[in-house]
Amino acid sequence: MQMPAPDQAVLARREELVRGFRAIVPGEGVIADEDGMRPYECDALSAYRQLPMVVVLPETVQQIAEILKLCQRLGAKVVPRGGGTSLSGGSLPLADGVLLAMGKFNRVLEIDYANRCARVQPGVTNLAISKAVEHEGFYYAPDPSSQIACSIGGNVAENSGGVHCLKYGLTTNNLLGIEMVLMSGEIVKLGGKHLDSDGYDLLGVLTGSEGLLGVITEVTVRLLKKPPVARAMLLGFDTEEAAGECVAAIIANGIIPAGLEMMDRDAVHAAEAFCHAGYPLNVAALLIAELDGPQAEVDHLIAALERLARDRGASVVRVSTSEAERLAFWAGRKAAFPAVGRLSPDYFCMDGTIPRGRLPEVLTRIRELSKHHGLRVVNVFHAGDGNLHPLILFDANQPDELHRAEELGADILKLCVEVGGVLTGEHGVGVEKRDLMGTMFNEIDLNQQMRLKCAFDPDHLLNPGKVFPTLHRCAELGRLHVSGGRLPFPDLPRF
Amino acid sequence: MTILQPRDAKQVTEAVAWALDSGTPLEIVGGGSKRGLGQPTTAEHQLDLSQLRGITLYEPEELVLTANPGTPLAEVEAVLAQRRQMLAFEPPALSLIYGDGTPTLGGIIACNLAGPRRLSSGAARDHLLGFHATTGRAERIKSGGRVMKNVTGYDLSKLMAGSYGTLAVLDEITVKVLPAPEKTRTVLLLGLDEAQGVAALCKGMGQPVDVSGAAHLPADVAARSAVDYVRNAGTSVTALRLEGPGPSVEDRCRHLRLAFKAQSEELHSVNSTTLWRELREVALLPRDPALAIWKLSVPPTAAPAVVGRIRGHSPGVATFYDWSGGLVFLALPAGTDAAHAVVRGALQEEGGHATLLRAPDAVRQAVFAFHPQPPALAALTARVKDAFDPKGILNPGRMG
């Protein structure tokens, strides 16, 4: 994985930038020494590390506007960073870039229960929003597994999901508004406490834009009332096909569970050994389904799911009878990554999405690829929405294993695209999947996405080196190649 | 006027290429049922997508449907209904406002229209999974896909939804579909004034009962309903809809009625369906073509005060509230300018936007249909337009 070569002209102006930032952000808000910058050298994709040129921790929107203006004037790149939990290297620093750390934007500004929304600063963690409103029985629905640490600003940038997004949607479906600062220093508000825009849906565009379009400085999220009852089920099957068919049958029967997860045999064994969740070990695939809502609905749906599962040959059907048991059912799934971490010094977590019906075929081919590259793969899967998380086990200290793991990961993601799926369901492209964008998009598609980028950031200063495999200058992208004498289409019906 | 009627995606691209080469702006039309929505375009020639129709993929167990943009909405809904599924955003046809024409899937997406269930299930934009389209640069692009969860590249689907054909011409649309509810009931509260009505809606939304529609109808509007209970109420009607599996709906209905402690009524399936269709189609406002109709999106609790301010200037306002108060429809005498300064001024404080849905032609020429944007946002919007359609050949003027 190559990052763009550092711009020597910008590096030469480092002192000037640092002085400029110190004039904007008083006190300890500018970190320029190596030891102080070390904690920022990577995010949760820790295989890639890079010290930034300088770290700035602004405290006000006005400061951010001034910082970005200064960077724009001096041609310095900017990498925004929230909780630093990106799994795709979204906040990986650049050697010639300013790391804009949003940690001081950590206040909940307003909670409005009547309008069911909360206005928060971007550094507030995902879980802190739900914690702030739980005493009134409300919560914020998207729940990425990093929710203790990940920031809501980062969630917006990455359009984060979680195990409940089949029923409750991703970040993009749970936002009402944002405030952002453009590279030019302009402050733009999108949305608010009302629904939808009657101009272009730029809020929708910003969500999942991976920090390439604007720096998010405020977020208004929708709050939901907590369902009174939630129960989980374990459904074990002798074949992965049967488990896949059961998932299809559940949805075809009009049931959208709050969560619907699948683990393969290796994942079940690893999780059980790690946290003793009580998982059955003699199954080829285990489904964890969660039903939530009023008691009557949950009872009704559990009975329906039990019937559907038994009809598809489930060898194990267990329903949680207490909150403790429900949490235990989930504990294994939630611990799947650390559990796998015990099996292997390092692992990569892939994130492709596939049409659900192709699951058995994809699992078979992943196994073939695993054999081919000589590395183990363990599969956990958001079965309801087709989002696969194959975990590739490797040891970075063995010569060549990191490289082979990268290759295997690329092969798995290409397979996802080949069967009609996509490279990333919730972790983002970042640097990790950047060079694979060409398997899903052609040059015309990518150039158009880059033109959108140009409308926000014409000098490519905001988080460059992420998402796009190659950068073209905006002036070049804007050029129109009109053929001039082209004849109008002979076949087209005209009236 | 030339009408270009492509029969496949390649011909769409060819048509746009010709328009680009020859500098001929095009009006993009599906079934022609929403031409009255937004600003009138200045294009003299039409790109008619009505022949680009048909459902090309429908996999109920994967919750996904792909169709060409000219596919009639009614056809999509009928096919989904056979498998007990639906477009959960409850798209309105709005034919009572705009008259004839065939609402199409492409038109609904391009206008990002959604009905009462927008409150709980999202708008059209939330259900658009992916698309193919030809930009104003005469290049065919794709974005998104057919899977539920996808963050690969910018989410251009959001940008297409609600861009009124000003950025690119859609030729293939993939949407998320959802199971249709087994059962529907509506709890009615009678006799609340507008402030009390919206407060009751917000209280209902704050109950753990999954309300999927929340509307308040002042007495004069309720009196136009085809549902006996509503028409004959003789007073205002506040309505909360519950949908889902049978036992669940009954249980939630009980819970909700208990929460209000007040006298309440209950509508069952057929009457519920009728009432929410009337609300979705804005069928209960007076039909007089001399009236201007506004659609306001505001913070729900601010709605009664916003309407109060408008009524202060224009006493003859007819109105109702949907989306728990967050969506307000207003009919008022169009005059020469649809009272736009009053309407838009009224929501200055709490935020939101006001769209002029319908007005006599002369008024539409004089008043901007969409809410004016602050300078930085307006400039950004113009740059986005330029990124997709640098020569302004797609629906020029439609969004200003």
Side-chain angles (χ1 to χ4, degrees):
Chain A
M1 201 270 313
Q2 289 283 317
M3 293 306 281
D7 183 338
Q8 294 303 325
V10 170
L11 287 173
R13 306 183 86 161
R14 181 172 186 265
E15 287 316 307
E16 187 183 346
L17 275 160
V18 170
R19 269 199 314 277
F21 295 148
R22 291 220 156 102
I24 297 166
V25 183
E28 312 281 291
V30 180
I31 303 171
D33 65 295
E34 199 179 313
D35 288 347
M37 294 196 295
R38 189 62 67 189
Y40 298 93
E41 71 176 353
C42 70
D43 54 25
L45 186 70
S46 55
Y48 306 122
R49 287 166 197 268
Q50 171 63 54
L51 271 186
M53 178 168 64
V54 53
V55 176
V56 188
L57 291 102
E59 289 177 55
T60 69
V61 179
Q62 214 48 51
Q63 287 174 0
I64 293 177
E66 294 301 319
I67 290 165
L68 295 184
K69 259 190 256 178
L70 178 63
C71 291
Q72 170 114 320
R73 188 161 60 78
L74 298 183
K77 296 162 188 161
V78 178
V79 176
R81 176 184 167 112
T85 57
S86 170
L87 289 165
S88 56
S91 48
L92 178 70
L94 301 170
D96 59 344
V98 177
L99 190 88
L100 192 66
M102 298 298 291
K104 293 190 174 175
F105 282 72
N106 58 3
R107 285 189 306 130
V108 174
L109 299 171
E110 185 192 356
I111 296 170
D112 182 344
Y113 292 111
N115 289 312
R116 300 174 314 286
C117 62
R119 208 159 53 81
V120 302
Q121 291 189 318
V124 172
T125 62
N126 172 293
L127 190 62
I129 300 177
S130 289
K131 288 278 179 210
V133 298
E134 70 179 354
H135 63 284
E136 293 284 340
F138 284 87
Y139 76 116
Y140 172 63
D143 58 345
S145 50
S146 55
Q147 69 179 153
I148 299 173
C150 65
S151 71
I152 189 68
N155 288 182
V156 175
E158 300 290 335
N159 191 14
S160 306
V163 295
H164 290 99
C165 54
L166 178 65
K167 182 169 176 185
Y168 295 104
L170 294 113
T171 303
T172 190
N173 312 111
N174 288 279
L175 284 184
L176 291 173
I178 58 171
E179 178 190 75
M180 64 170 171
V181 187
L182 302 180
M183 249 345 267
S184 61
E186 289 169 290
I187 299 168
V188 176
K189 283 180 195 273
L190 302 171
K193 290 183 180 181
H194 57 279
L195 291 168
D196 299 335
S197 160
D198 79 341
Y200 295 146
D201 183 4
L202 301 182
L203 174 60
V205 171
L206 256 290
T207 312
S209 63
E210 305 200 19
L212 271 73
L213 300 182
V215 175
I216 293 155
T217 51
E218 192 182 300
V219 183
T220 305
V221 299
R222 284 170 74 208
L223 300 175
L224 293 182
K225 193 73 181 177
K226 239 182 151 147
V229 178
R231 290 175 80 188
M233 303 175 79
L234 294 181
L235 309 170
F237 294 86
D238 294 339
T239 64
E240 286 161 351
E241 285 80 1
E245 279 166 22
C246 184
V247 172
I250 290 169
I251 289 170
N253 276 275
I255 301 169
I256 306 290
L260 189 54
E261 298 289 305
M262 192 191 292
M263 298 165 78
D264 73 1
R265 185 191 301 272
D266 285 349
V268 170
H269 280 252
E272 184 59 24
F274 183 68
C275 69
H276 314 291
Y279 288 170
L281 296 174
N282 56 343
V283 295
L286 182 69
L287 295 181
I288 308 171
E290 180 156 293
L291 288 314
D292 67 7
Q295 184 75 51
E297 177 164 331
V298 172
D299 291 347
H300 175 79
L301 294 180
I302 281 182
L305 247 69
E306 204 168 333
R307 214 164 37 242
L308 289 168
R310 292 208 191 278
D311 285 353
R312 266 111 203 130
S315 55
V316 175
V317 176
R318 283 175 50 198
V319 183
S320 70
T321 50
S322 64
E323 183 63 6
E325 198 177 10
R326 182 184 78 87
L327 294 174
F329 284 4
W330 278 111
R333 166 63 184 87
K334 291 193 171 169
F337 292 6
V340 165
R342 287 207 321 178
L343 302 179
S344 163
D346 299 285
Y347 67 89
F348 275 140
C349 174
M350 298 290 104
D351 176 44
T353 306
I354 57 169
R356 235 186 316 93
R358 309 292 295 267
L359 177 69
E361 172 194 348
V362 167
L363 289 179
T364 303
R365 287 182 61 190
I366 287 179
R367 244 165 250 133
E368 288 165 12
L369 288 169
S370 155
K371 217 174 278 168
H372 175 76
H373 289 277
L375 293 171
R376 275 181 74 190
V377 177
V378 172
N379 287 293
V380 295
F381 184 38
H382 299 304
D385 44 36
N387 190 195
L388 275 177
H389 290 316
L391 303 168
I392 299 172
L393 314 190
F394 69 99
D395 179 354
N397 289 323
Q398 297 300 318
D400 203 37
E401 281 212 4
L402 171 65
H403 178 64
R404 265 159 51 213
E406 284 178 330
E407 279 190 344
L408 173 53
D411 283 348
I412 290 173
L413 295 182
K414 284 179 199 162
L415 169 62
C416 292
V417 174
E418 184 195 315
V419 301
V422 300
L423 294 173
T424 171
E426 57 182 355
H427 295 173
V429 176
V431 294
E432 189 205 18
K433 280 149 283 197
R434 182 193 68 191
D435 296 340
L436 294 173
M437 285 290 272
T439 62
M440 203 170 134
F441 297 111
N442 62 27
E443 200 185 342
I444 291 174
D445 300 331
L446 288 174
N447 283 351
Q448 191 53 46
Q449 293 193 33
M450 237 178 287
R451 281 186 201 103
L452 180 61
K453 157 86 168 162
C454 293
F456 287 79
D457 172 25
D459 299 325
H460 285 311
L461 292 175
L462 207 44
N463 217 5
K466 320 288 171 71
V467 182
F468 297 111
T470 45
L471 287 182
H472 299 296
R473 293 183 45 214
C474 289
E476 187 189 317
L477 287 166
R479 217 167 285 147
L480 258 178
H481 303 280
V482 179
S483 70
R486 185 156 36 180
L487 279 175
F489 43 88
D491 308 333
L492 187 60
R494 303 169 69 167
F495 301 93
Chain B
M1 179 177 80
T2 306
I3 299 176
L4 302 171
Q5 210 172 65
R7 291 180 188 279
D8 58 32
K10 187 166 162 281
Q11 291 187 340
V12 173
T13 307
E14 285 174 356
V16 176
W18 167 76
L20 185 64
D21 283 359
S22 58
T24 312
L26 296 173
E27 178 182 9
I28 318 304
V29 181
S33 65
K34 305 285 183 299
R35 293 183 71 203
L37 176 56
Q39 295 290 110
T41 172
T42 53
E44 287 170 20
H45 303 281
Q46 266 189 13
L47 184 59
D48 170 357
L49 302 177
S50 61
Q51 298 310 303
L52 204 60
R53 57 184 285 179
I55 296 167
T56 53
L57 176 143
Y58 175 35
E59 294 180 4
E61 67 288 350
E62 302 257 345
L63 304 176
V64 62
L65 178 142
T66 302
N68 298 120
T71 313
L73 183 61
E75 184 182 325
V76 173
E77 292 187 320
V79 166
L80 292 174
Q82 282 173 12
R83 302 298 295 266
R84 294 169 161 272
Q85 292 191 331
M86 63 175 180
L87 296 171
F89 55 97
E90 226 176 347
L94 298 182
S95 45
L96 294 173
I97 293 187
Y98 299 117
D100 292 342
T102 307
T104 60
L105 184 62
I108 291 291
I109 295 293
C111 302
N112 190 30
L113 292 171
R117 209 184 287 109
R118 197 274 169 254
L119 188 63
S120 57
S121 295
R125 51 94 84 178
D126 294 291
H127 296 81
L128 180 61
L129 296 175
F131 68 89
H132 283 78
T134 297
T135 67
R137 304 174 60 91
E139 291 172 334
R140 186 167 186 248
I141 60 163
K142 67 170 175 302
S143 179
R146 51 154 296 182
V147 292
M148 297 299 127
K149 222 167 148 190
N150 176 11
V151 295
T152 321
Y154 296 135
D155 190 355
L156 301 186
S157 295
K158 299 289 182 295
L159 195 54
M160 287 301 119
S163 64
Y164 291 83
T166 61
L167 299 176
V169 184
L170 295 165
D171 66 68
E172 187 188 287
I173 293 167
T174 299
V175 287
K176 175 182 181 176
V177 300
L178 282 170
E182 238 173 78
K183 190 167 202 160
T184 302
R185 282 198 187 174
T186 303
V187 172
L188 301 180
L189 304 167
L190 304 182
L192 303 179
D193 68 24
E194 292 176 30
Q196 292 166 336
V198 169
L201 296 176
C202 291
K203 181 178 172 183
M205 291 304 298
Q207 298 296 310
V209 295
D210 259 335
V211 171
S212 72
H216 176 80
L217 294 71
D220 58 322
V221 171
R224 290 191 196 90
S225 175
V227 178
D228 293 345
Y229 282 115
V230 177
R231 185 180 59 250
N232 299 331
T235 181
S236 72
V237 173
T238 307
L240 293 142
R241 179 173 62 180
L242 302 167
E243 299 174 302
S248 163
V249 170
E250 284 163 25
D251 186 65
R252 285 183 284 147
C253 224
R254 255 193 315 276
H255 179 105
L256 191 59
R257 294 182 72 169
L258 274 174
F260 281 112
K261 296 188 188 88
Q263 181 74 24
S264 59
E265 302 284 340
E266 213 172 287
L267 295 182
H268 287 205
S269 294
V270 176
N271 281 333
S272 271
T273 306
T274 306
L275 175 64
W276 292 101
R277 188 193 307 120
E278 289 174 336
L279 293 166
R280 183 187 78 202
E281 297 299 338
V282 198
L284 304 182
L285 289 181
R287 298 279 171 79
D288 182 353
L291 293 173
I293 297 182
W294 286 93
K295 179 172 109 169
L296 278 56
S297 178
V298 293
T301 54
V306 168
V307 172
R309 278 171 221 146
I310 297 167
R311 205 174 266 135
H313 288 85
S314 186
V317 167
T319 188
F320 72 91
Y321 303 79
D322 197 351
W323 298 356
S324 186
L327 179 69
V328 180
F329 288 96
L330 284 171
L332 46 74
T336 53
D337 65 357
H340 72 100
V342 170
V343 172
R344 290 187 166 136
L347 43 77
Q348 195 83 38
E349 202 175 307
E350 290 96 347
H353 51 81
T355 312
L356 181 60
L357 278 192
R358 191 195 71 189
D361 284 348
V363 177
R364 285 183 70 211
Q365 298 294 342
V367 178
F368 194 51
F370 299 103
H371 207 80
Q373 297 175 328
L377 178 57
L380 179 56
T381 297
R383 293 197 298 274
V384 170
K385 164 79 174 169
D386 191 59
F388 283 81
D389 180 23
K391 295 287 177 201
I393 56 164
L394 303 181
N395 271 348
R398 192 74 203 267
M399 295 186 82

